[in-house]
């Protein structure tokens, strides 16, 4: 029987023990390095603004129909279509309460931009309100409200030239009715309406009404004044 190689066996055991120790040291180094990287990432994330502000849209407020005081801290812009039933609802709820709660208090100011897309007479109505706006700014909002109040079925062509001129006469607006008719028929303010439409398109507005509050799109339910009021209060507090 050959002699036992006890010396070699001990050497092998020592080498194996050293190899295992080295592996454990490497694992500890890797673990601590990973934890260190994660801690750095956590610190970086926590240092960032948790609520980055959305890009703010800019508007040419000075050249838009305005309801309220121009220096009000909250500026509300609506993109709308006079044939849109939801716009009519918003005009009778959102805007009405906005006037009593904020506009009359000098806390908010309201602007309107045309986004006529529901029918041919959507454009006719837009041209009519622009004509009234340029003739007499004080007559604009009574006319604006009356068109929504008299709104017909969106599937029919009701906002005709005769209807729109007749409505101005019925309201006894202090404007030149013949000039109003000419402005509609000659599309005097077509460029302005097109520019407003293009602005909405550039902002990704794909439905009416769409509101912007201090340049940021209102993402809440346009049928809920409570949600709208909350957004206004947040804008006041900024």
């Amino acid at each position: 029987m050959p002699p036992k190689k006890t010396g070699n066996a001990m050497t092998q055991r020592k080498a194996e023990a050293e190899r295992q120790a080295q592996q454990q040291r490497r694992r500890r180094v890797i673990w601590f390095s990973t934890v260190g990287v994660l801690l750095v990432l956590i610190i970086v994330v926590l240092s960032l603004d948790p609520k980055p502000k959305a890009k703010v849209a800019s508007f040419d407020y000075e050249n838009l129909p305005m309801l309220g005081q121009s220096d009000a801290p909250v500026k509300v812009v609506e993109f709308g279509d006079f044939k849109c039933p939801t716009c009519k609802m918003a005009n009778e709820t959102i805007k009405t309460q906005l006037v009593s709660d904020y506009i009359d208090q000098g806390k908010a100011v309201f602007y309107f931009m045309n986004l006529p897309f529901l029918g041919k007479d959507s454009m006719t109505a837009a041209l009519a309100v622009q004509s009234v706006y340029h003739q007499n700014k004080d007559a604009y909002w009574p006319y604006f409200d009356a068109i929504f109040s008299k709104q017909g079925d969106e599937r029919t062509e009701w906002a005709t030239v005769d209807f729109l001129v007749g409505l101005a006469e019925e309201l006894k607006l202090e404007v030149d009715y013949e000039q109003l008719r000419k402005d509609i028929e000659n599309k005097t303010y077509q460029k302005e309406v097109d520019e407003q439409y293009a602005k909405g398109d550039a902002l990704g507005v794909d439905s009416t009404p769409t509101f912007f509050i201090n340049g940021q799109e209102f993402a809440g339910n346009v049928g809920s004044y409570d949600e709208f009021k909350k957004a206004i209060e947040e804008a006041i507090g900024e």
Side-chain angles (χ1 to χ4, degrees):
M1 178 179 293
K4 295 182 180 179
K5 300 180 180 180
T6 55
N8 289 339
M10 290 178 64
T11 300
Q12 290 175 356
R13 283 197 295 273
K14 287 181 180 180
E16 178 63 21
E18 180 62 25
R19 185 181 66 80
Q20 292 179 356
Q22 289 178 350
Q23 288 180 341
Q24 289 178 351
R25 285 195 293 272
R26 283 198 294 270
R27 284 195 289 267
R28 284 197 293 270
V29 169
I30 293 172
W31 187 86
F32 283 116
S33 297
T34 302
V35 171
V37 170
L38 289 174
L39 287 174
V40 170
L41 289 174
I42 291 171
I43 292 171
V44 170
V45 170
L46 290 177
S47 66
L48 297 176
D49 186 352
K51 294 182 179 180
K53 292 184 178 179
K55 184 177 179 181
V56 176
S58 61
F59 295 97
D60 184 12
Y61 294 112
E62 291 184 1
N63 291 310
L64 294 177
M66 178 183 71
L67 182 61
Q69 301 174 17
S70 61
D71 60 351
V74 179
K75 299 184 185 302
V76 180
V77 177
E78 176 190 358
F79 284 93
D81 184 322
F82 287 98
K83 293 193 67 173
C84 166
T86 308
C87 293
K88 172 182 168 67
M89 177 274 296
N91 191 62
E92 295 171 351
T93 55
I94 297 294
K95 185 169 74 64
T96 298
Q97 295 184 78
L98 190 65
V99 168
S100 61
D101 292 347
Y102 297 100
I103 294 176
D104 286 347
Q105 311 303 320
K107 297 178 180 179
V109 56
F110 186 87
Y111 302 88
F112 183 78
M113 297 185 74
N114 291 287
L115 195 76
F117 72 98
L118 284 173
K120 178 182 177 182
D121 50 334
S122 294
M123 178 61 74
T124 308
L127 292 170
V129 295
Q130 289 305 109
S131 174
V132 169
Y133 171 70
H134 284 283
Q135 288 197 53
N136 180 357
K137 291 180 174 58
D138 290 336
Y140 177 88
W141 292 107
Y143 192 50
F144 178 98
D145 291 336
I147 295 176
F148 275 124
S149 177
K150 301 282 188 176
Q151 187 185 81
D153 191 317
E154 66 177 301
R155 295 167 295 183
T156 65
E157 188 174 332
W158 57 268
T160 63
V161 177
D162 287 341
F163 169 83
L164 293 162
V165 174
L167 181 60
E169 293 173 335
E170 179 184 329
L171 295 170
K172 295 182 172 55
L173 297 182
E174 294 184 2
V175 298
D176 185 323
Y177 306 126
E178 285 304 313
Q179 185 61 49
L180 172 59
R181 181 178 293 275
K182 289 178 182 178
D183 285 342
I184 299 172
E185 293 177 342
N186 297 333
K187 304 183 189 305
T188 304
Y189 298 104
Q190 183 73 58
K191 182 180 179 182
E192 287 186 1
V193 176
D194 288 345
E195 288 174 347
Q196 291 177 13
Y197 191 104
K199 180 67 174 181
D201 192 47
L203 292 173
V205 176
D206 57 6
S207 64
T208 56
T210 293
F211 296 94
F212 284 79
I213 300 174
N214 281 354
Q216 295 193 30
E217 184 175 353
F218 171 64
N221 178 6
V222 296
S224 170
Y225 179 66
D226 288 340
E227 289 187 30
F228 202 87
K229 182 175 181 178
K230 180 180 177 182
I232 295 292
E233 290 291 340
E234 289 175 354
I236 291 174
E238 289 179 351

